[in-house]
Amino acid sequence: MLDDDVTNKKGIYSYVLTHREKYLHIRKFTDSQKRKAFENQKGICKKCAQQFELSEMEADHITPWSKGGKTSNENCQMLCKYCNRLKSNL
Ligand SMILES: [Zn+2]
């Protein structure tokens, strides 16, 4: 329950202390971004092309976060948990 709050506050404190913008970059997609991508894809996983419930899927950065991909609607795709895990293990 406190996860999100604690994480965000920590980011803001770090930003205030260091003035480094990277602490304000949010890696996690919001629920509304996820829902939007989910609806656009009609619940179909971009990798295995099977249909899932929203609760069975995870948001993924099309351009990886580590390569400068933004946490924006345009850069959000939904993968099933299985595919997403495979991808992040590569
Ligand atoms: Zn999949």
Side-chain angles (χ1 to χ4, degrees), residues 22-81:
K22 69 170 183 180
Y23 292 109
L24 286 183
H25 289 194
I26 313 254
R27 182 172 183 164
K28 247 173 104 179
F29 288 104
T30 64
D31 285 345
S32 74
Q33 286 175 314
K34 289 186 204 170
R35 188 155 297 128
K36 207 164 187 179
F38 177 80
E39 281 166 10
N40 285 342
Q41 296 173 213
K42 304 189 187 336
I44 293 170
C45 171
K46 288 278 184 180
K47 277 223 139 149
C48 64
Q50 293 190 67
Q51 200 167 25
F52 294 91
E53 298 292 326
L54 181 54
S55 61
E56 295 171 317
M57 301 184 89
E58 290 171 348
D60 179 55
H61 289 78
I62 297 170
T63 303
W65 166 262
S66 57
K67 292 187 176 147
K70 296 216 171 81
T71 306
S72 62
N73 289 346
E74 296 73 35
N75 197 34
C76 179
Q77 65 180 355
M78 296 301 284
L79 300 178
C80 70
K81 288 182 177 173

